[in-house]
Amino acid sequence: MEIWINPACSKCRSALTLLDAEGAEYTVRRYLEDVPTEDEIRAVLDRLGLEPWDITRTQEAAAKELGLKEWAKDADSRDRWIAALSAHPKLIQRPIITAEDGTAVVARSEEAVRDALSR
């Protein structure tokens, strides 16, 4: 299992604490430093069963600068969103845990972390 985190994020730290308490084996990816490629973002979206706009932090300064709230949320715009997430990784919702069964979860709650652990 891998977890994408921003160490400054309290939800990320909470997820790590829970994973440690449960004795989970995982790899940490500091995605602001080890920026995911567009293909990696596509793969995680497939695992999540979500679209790029579903995991975009639209309140971030970069989102406002890009005008993301005005972008279309459709198949034709999907690659544009993915490119923005790769170019501005701070826009990616966190933490994201890729589970052992090939799925993933946005682990912003204890329930979501436990869900990932149960897979």
Side-chain angles (χ1 to χ4, degrees), residues 60-77:
E60 290 289 332
K64 291 176 182 175
E65 289 171 23
L66 293 169
L68 288 183
K69 286 191 175 185
E70 308 305 317
W71 289 16
K73 295 178 180 175
D74 58 26
D76 291 339
S77 301

Side-chain angles (χ1 to χ4, degrees), residues 2-116:
E2 181 176 77
I3 182 169
W4 291 9
I5 68 156
N6 171 353
C9 168
S10 63
K11 294 202 183 292
C12 293
R13 292 191 306 271
S14 294
L16 292 174
T17 299
L18 182 54
L19 290 174
D20 289 341
E22 295 295 325
E25 290 185 26
Y26 61 91
T27 303
V28 170
R29 180 171 186 171
R30 294 177 178 224
Y31 71 93
L32 297 179
E33 299 163 16
D34 182 8
V35 178
T37 65
E38 291 181 26
D39 284 342
E40 287 174 313
I41 292 169
R42 279 187 195 86
V44 164
L45 288 167
D46 288 346
R47 292 176 80 163
L48 288 166
L50 296 174
E51 293 296 337
W53 45 85
D54 296 326
I55 65 162
T56 300
R57 299 171 53 85
T58 57
Q59 297 305 312
E60 290 289 332
K64 291 176 182 175
E65 289 171 23
L66 293 169
L68 288 183
K69 286 191 175 185
E70 308 305 317
W71 289 16
K73 295 178 180 175
D74 58 26
D76 291 339
S77 301
R78 190 172 198 265
D79 286 342
R80 182 181 186 200
W81 282 85
I82 291 169
L85 292 175
S86 184
H88 306 277
K90 201 169 200 174
L91 296 176
I92 300 172
Q93 192 60 263
R94 76 254 175 175
I96 294 176
I97 299 175
T98 55
E100 294 297 323
D101 69 352
T103 62
V105 296
V106 178
R108 296 189 55 77
S109 68
E110 180 177 333
E111 296 78 27
V113 176
R114 291 194 184 284
D115 181 36

